[in-house]
Amino acid sequence: MTDTNAPATAADASRYPLRRILILIVAFAAPLIGYGQMALGIGMTPSDFSAQGDDTLRVAGYAFSIWALIYGWLFAYAIYQALPATTENESLRRVGWPSFYALAGIGLWVVASAANWQWATVAIIMASLLVLLVPLVQNAKLFRSDSIRRRALTAWPLGLLAGWLTIASLVNLLTVMTSQDLIAPGTGPLWALGAVALAALAALGVTARTRLWTYPVPIAWGLIGVFFAGRTDGQNLIAFAALGAALLIVVGVTLILARAART
């Protein structure tokens, strides 16, 4: 049986420079694909794609400004892990390829949404979430043993991305289901409330397991976006449920991290 905690082998050492270069490339390619697609007017814009089925659950447009923070922090991660001065370590090994796949997924999602390949967008965003979230949860203890600097340049930006992909995947799924008429008339609010509850449970559960504070932040941010969109659309039940879930995340995460700090 392979010891996953063993130091990097010679084979690992020969492969990781390629991994680092690919991560650097895809980190910068992802936003270029997104903004380039909109600038050139190729296919549907993300907002046009979402408008096809956002009657069940919608996030206010301002909430997507969080991508500026996500991309900026991911750039820092990509540059840090690619620097020759950054020695190979277990944390980079555990999240290296998963982060590459997740970043590639961001670009692929733009392509799929532009082509209106609806179910492909669902598969891509969920796969990107799982491939990143699983190693973050499985190796939580390892990341907590890292220095603050290493966590700030590795686990924290990837946790931020995973958090946004969590709520985005739920919204994406309901958008496609709505546009495909798979949600029965009158049941939309139940689906929306279920998604809100699932997002809150994920935020609290993953944070309790990982103590990764950046993971719940974008989920709470997205839920506040749901609140404002719901108020605008006259869906007060969904709006205030989302606001309550966001407040629950803030209080719950604060208590989780405060308790962790005392142990």
Side-chain angles (χ1 to χ4, degrees):
M1 180 180 296
T2 302
D3 182 2
T4 56
N5 291 316
T9 64
D12 291 328
S14 66
R15 285 195 298 263
Y16 87 74
L18 174 61
R19 182 195 75 212
R20 292 185 178 198
I21 293 170
L22 290 176
I23 291 172
L24 184 64
I25 291 172
V26 78
F28 284 87
L32 288 176
I33 292 172
Y35 294 121
Q37 178 263 335
M38 289 189 290
L40 296 175
I42 301 173
M44 300 181 71
T45 66
S47 59
D48 290 337
F49 175 82
S50 298
Q52 297 179 104
D54 62 1
D55 297 337
T56 301
L57 187 65
R58 187 172 72 86
V59 180
Y62 86 87
F64 294 93
S65 63
I66 196 174
W67 274 114
L69 175 61
I70 294 173
Y71 280 138
W73 215 340
L74 289 174
F75 292 160
Y77 158 69
I79 293 170
Y80 164 74
Q81 61 86 43
L83 290 174
T86 302
T87 57
E88 181 74 336
N89 57 71
E90 194 65 16
S91 295
L92 289 177
R93 290 178 61 201
R94 298 293 181 91
V95 298
W97 285 115
S99 68
F100 168 78
Y101 299 133
L103 288 165
I106 296 173
L108 287 175
W109 187 92
V110 173
V111 174
S113 64
N116 202 25
W117 297 335
Q118 295 188 352
W119 286 109
T121 64
V122 174
I124 290 168
I125 198 170
M126 288 191 171
S128 300
L129 167 62
L130 291 175
V131 78
L132 186 59
L133 187 58
V134 169
L136 287 175
V137 172
Q138 288 181 335
N139 301 289
K141 187 175 181 179
L142 172 66
F143 299 134
R144 289 199 297 270
S145 68
D146 285 337
S147 66
I148 292 180
R149 178 175 180 270
R150 183 175 293 170
R151 274 179 282 166
L153 291 170
T154 305
W156 289 357
L158 296 179
L160 188 72
L161 175 60
W164 182 253
L165 290 178
T166 297
I167 189 165
S169 64
L170 293 170
V171 174
N172 195 158
L173 176 61
L174 291 188
T175 296
V176 172
M177 290 180 66
T178 303
S179 67
Q180 296 284 328
D181 295 324
L182 296 177
I183 295 179
T187 64
L190 295 178
W191 284 93
L193 291 173
V196 167
L198 188 57
L201 288 174
L204 295 174
V206 172
T207 305
R209 175 67 177 83
T210 65
R211 303 178 193 173
L212 193 58
W213 68 271
T214 55
Y215 176 76
V217 169
I219 298 177
W221 173 262
L223 288 172
I224 294 173
V226 171
F227 165 74
F228 283 109
R231 291 288 288 165
T232 299
D233 298 340
Q235 297 179 328
N236 290 329
L237 175 61
I238 297 171
F240 284 104
L243 180 61
L247 294 174
L248 177 64
I249 290 172
V250 172
V251 173
V253 167
T254 300
L255 294 175
I256 288 169
L257 297 180
R259 181 178 180 182
R262 293 196 299 267
T263 60

